[in-house]
């Protein structure tokens, strides 16, 4: 079973007036993430611009050369940097910020920027290192500001407003999207420059993810709330925060499979929402509330009237969802991108210039002009299918020279980086790398739910696949053949929602090819799902089995991954 704005409205966040040991291996990236040969590398930079990655299954503009696209991006960055990147804070010398208007109450301060802009700027700066020789200094200055302007609710997060006053530092609550981008940028920064300098980017990322984002934003129902002022059981969420590929990077650096559960749940929320409210368009509203999910009402949280429509928050979603397909190959990301693209191409009669700045969920325009924060994500979504080549070419021509305001220009630049392959994928950075002896080894199970849920899916290193047994039966089991006798001392079970309440871990050294004699090495009677990391005294084993005797749900047993750890052959 599968449990599975007006013309100058640039930013939407306001504090509402109402108010673990890492054992996981990194996810395997799809084949084809080769980096082109570089004639030279700037000192200390591992991925200098341009990287010009060709994402598997994706297309780029075909009527211009890669060099021309790179030049357009670097020119746009130079313009963006000169226009919006500032370091004039008298209250924080050396602190950089991205200057942009806000909506919401600045509570007596003169707002200069936001955590949202800070996150965007930090991602952009990392990706442009190599073109910009000062990129790391700028990045560190942006990070300095993010840390100084900590949230009033959780000090591991950033307050949503930047203002030139020491009293603004620690005064404001947070906004989810800014912190997600900031934490993700720290992972990129570690990949780009390493973490042995003035800032330990990887440690900062892990702390922010584990002690900030996970603690304050991930709800008990595996959604994302709106800020650290929001409830942990909240059912309100903002689709512009559904940064699915970010969450895979969070998983890779923390080993916390809970991030995969968040991804799965958000895809489920999207499917439920669109089936009920936008089956033709695939659009989502600026805010989604309730269970089952539905559009928020107008004027939700006093933000603006169109909070129930596809407006200046939701306009960012197509980029976020297509990135999950481009970077990690999730077909759900492609399905969403294809539906949205199919609708908007028809609606705009094949011309990106005809896109409007707002639609209701059925696809009727509520806006009256084209702006990049709407156009650019629709073009990015189209890169998931070669049938959209003319659309991508026309969109590129529209985007590359568009100059508007902070919000549109900044999001336009992020899309330009993605479309040209200059937004690269950070590699996994798990601490204490330990060999998963079961990875890609033969497996056998007592049953399978159906095609696509075979035993080997629990040993493929891919948290987008899983083994599932028949529903409603006990006992059930799954075992792996390590190929030879190994000394093992632990397993990690990454359960899907259908988990075992009572189970045993057993080992066998039978040489017959079909193990008969099993030895218990661990027994659990109070399993509650999630990730079970089980250590035991070293045992020799060729076969390792999970024997489930009592289900924790009415369904069956289901594992995303069954990992086996040890040190050497006996």
């Amino acid at each position: 079973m599968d449990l599975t704005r007006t013309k100058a409205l640039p930013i939407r966040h306001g504090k509402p007036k109402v108010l673990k040991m890492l054992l996981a291996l990194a996810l395997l990236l799809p084949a084809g993430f080769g980096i082109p040969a570089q004639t030279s590398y700037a000192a200390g930079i591992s991925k200098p611009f341009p990287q010009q990655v060709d994402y598997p299954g994706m297309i780029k503009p075909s009527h211009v050369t890669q060099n021309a696209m790179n030049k357009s991006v670097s020119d746009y960055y130079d313009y963006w940097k000169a226009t919006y990147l500032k370091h004039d804070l008298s209250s924080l010398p050396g602190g950089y910020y991205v200057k942009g208007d806000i909506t919401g109450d600045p509570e007596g301060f003169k707002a200069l920027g936001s955590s949202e802009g800070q996150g965007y700027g930090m991602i952009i700066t990392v990706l442009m290192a190599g073109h910009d020789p000062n990129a790391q200094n700028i990045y560190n200055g942006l990070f300095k500001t993010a840390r100084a302007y900590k949230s009033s609710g959780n000090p591991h997060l950033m307050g949503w407003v930047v203002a030139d006053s020491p009293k603004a530092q620690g005064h404001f609550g947070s906004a989810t999207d800014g912190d997600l981008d900031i934490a993700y940028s720290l992972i990129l920064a570690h990949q780009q420059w390493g973490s042995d300098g003035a800032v330990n980017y990887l440690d900062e990322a892990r702390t922010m993810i584990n002690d900030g984002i996970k603690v304050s934003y991930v709800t008990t129902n595996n959604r994302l709330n709106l800020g650290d002022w929001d409830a942990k059981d909240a059912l309100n969420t903002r689709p512009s925060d559904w940064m699915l590929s970010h969450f895979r990077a969070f998983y890779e650096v923390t080993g916390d499979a809970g991030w995969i559960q968040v991804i799965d749940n958000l895809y489920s929320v999207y499917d439920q929402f669109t089936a009920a409210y936008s089956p033709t368009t695939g659009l989502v509203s600026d805010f989604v509330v309730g269970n089952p999910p539905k559009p928020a009402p107008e004027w939700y949280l006093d933000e603006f009237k169109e909070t129930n429509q596809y407006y200046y928050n939701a306009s960012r979603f197509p980029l976020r969802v297509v990135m999950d397909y481009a970077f990690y190959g999730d077909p759900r990301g492609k399905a969403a991108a294809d539906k949205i693209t199919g609708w908007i191409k028809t609606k705009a009669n094949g011309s990106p210039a005809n896109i409007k700045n707002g639609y209701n969920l059925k696809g009727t325009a509520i806006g009256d002009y084209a702006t990049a924060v709407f156009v650019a994500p629709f073009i990015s979504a189209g890169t998931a299918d070669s049938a959209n080549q003319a659309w991508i070419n026309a969109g590129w021509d529209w985007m590359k020279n568009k100059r508007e305001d902070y919000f549109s220009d900044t999001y336009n630049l992020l899309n330009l980086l993605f479309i040209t392959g200059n937004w690269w994928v950070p590699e996994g950075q798990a601490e204490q790398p330990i060999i998963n002896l079961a990875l890609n080894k033969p497996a056998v199970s007592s049953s399978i739910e159906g095609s696509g849920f075979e035993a080997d899916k629990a040993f493929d290193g891919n948290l987008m696949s899983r083994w599932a047994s028949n529903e409603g039966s006990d006992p059930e089991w799954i075992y792996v053949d390590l190929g030879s006798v190994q000394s093992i001392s632990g397993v990690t079970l990454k359960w899907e929602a259908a988990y075992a309440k009572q189970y045993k871990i057993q080992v066998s050294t039978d040489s017959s090819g079909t193990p008969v004699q099993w030895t218990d090495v661990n027994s659990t009677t109070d399993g509650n799902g999630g990730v079970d990391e089980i250590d035991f005294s070293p045992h020799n084993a060729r076969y390792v089995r999970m024997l489930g005797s009592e289900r924790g749900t009415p369904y069956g047993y289901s594992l995303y991954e069954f990992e086996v750890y040890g040190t050497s052959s006996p």
Side-chain angles (χ1 to χ4, degrees), residues 47 65 74 77 87 187 193 226 297 312 322 339 353 412 465-466 470 483 533 564:
K47 292 184 177 292
T65 67
S74 61
Y77 169 77
H87 58 110
I187 300 171
W193 298 303
L226 307 178
Y312 279 81
V322 75
K339 176 171 282 191
N412 194 31
S465 65
R466 58 187 173 92
N470 284 336
E533 295 180 345
V564 179

Side-chain angles (χ1 to χ4, degrees), residues 222-240:
N222 282 323
R223 294 193 192 182
L224 297 166
N225 65 24
L226 307 178
D228 58 8
W229 43 266
D230 205 356
K232 283 287 282 185
D233 60 353
L235 287 169
N236 47 239
T237 184
R238 188 190 290 113
S240 56

Side-chain angles (χ1 to χ4, degrees), residues 111-336:
L112 301 175
S114 67
S115 61
E116 171 200 87
Q118 211 71 9
Y120 291 158
M122 292 171 77
I123 290 174
I124 290 168
T125 304
V126 176
L127 298 179
M128 294 306 301
H131 168 73
D132 187 341
N134 199 36
Q136 188 172 14
N137 289 333
I138 295 171
Y139 182 90
N140 288 351
L142 289 165
F143 180 69
K144 179 177 183 178
T145 301
R147 280 293 163 265
Y149 288 80
K150 60 182 179 293
S151 172
S152 59
N154 184 326
H156 301 293
L157 303 173
M158 181 179 176
W160 76 279
V161 173
V162 176
D164 196 2
S165 169
K167 294 181 179 180
Q169 299 172 17
H171 176 82
F172 293 93
S174 69
T176 302
D177 62 343
D179 289 307
L180 297 179
D181 276 334
I182 291 169
Y184 179 78
S185 80
L186 286 162
I187 300 171
L188 294 175
H190 169 74
Q191 186 86 58
Q192 187 69 283
W193 298 303
S195 291
D196 297 328
V199 179
N200 188 321
Y201 304 119
L202 187 57
D203 278 359
E204 293 287 355
R206 287 178 173 144
T207 297
M208 193 171 183
I209 294 165
N210 293 329
D211 299 337
I213 294 168
K214 190 72 180 289
V215 167
S216 292
Y217 296 155
V218 178
T219 67
T220 54
N221 41 71
N222 282 323
R223 294 193 192 182
L224 297 166
N225 65 24
L226 307 178
D228 58 8
W229 43 266
D230 205 356
K232 283 287 282 185
D233 60 353
L235 287 169
N236 47 239
T237 184
R238 188 190 290 113
S240 56
D241 298 346
W242 299 355
M243 305 178 192
L244 306 165
S245 59
H246 284 26
F247 306 151
R248 298 198 194 275
F250 293 177
Y251 161 71
E252 289 181 350
V253 301
T254 66
D256 183 354
W259 287 108
I260 306 303
Q261 295 173 341
V262 171
I263 292 168
D264 289 344
N265 184 64
L266 292 177
Y267 272 121
S268 178
V269 170
Y270 176 78
D271 288 344
Q272 293 177 63
F273 183 96
T274 54
Y277 299 100
S278 54
T280 302
T281 66
L283 300 178
V284 285
S285 54
D286 269 17
F287 293 87
V288 171
V289 300
N291 188 23
K294 61 184 178 181
E298 292 182 348
W299 295 108
Y300 186 64
L301 299 178
D302 292 334
E303 231 179 77
F304 41 84
K305 181 179 179 181
E306 296 85 357
T307 46
N308 63 334
Q309 311 285 10
Y310 183 82
Y311 209 50
Y312 279 81
N313 275 307
S315 66
R316 297 172 286 178
F317 173 73
L319 173 64
R320 301 302 191 180
V321 74
V322 75
M323 286 176 66
D324 196 36
Y325 174 64
F327 288 5
Y328 296 98
D330 196 312
R332 296 171 295 184
K334 176 174 170 55

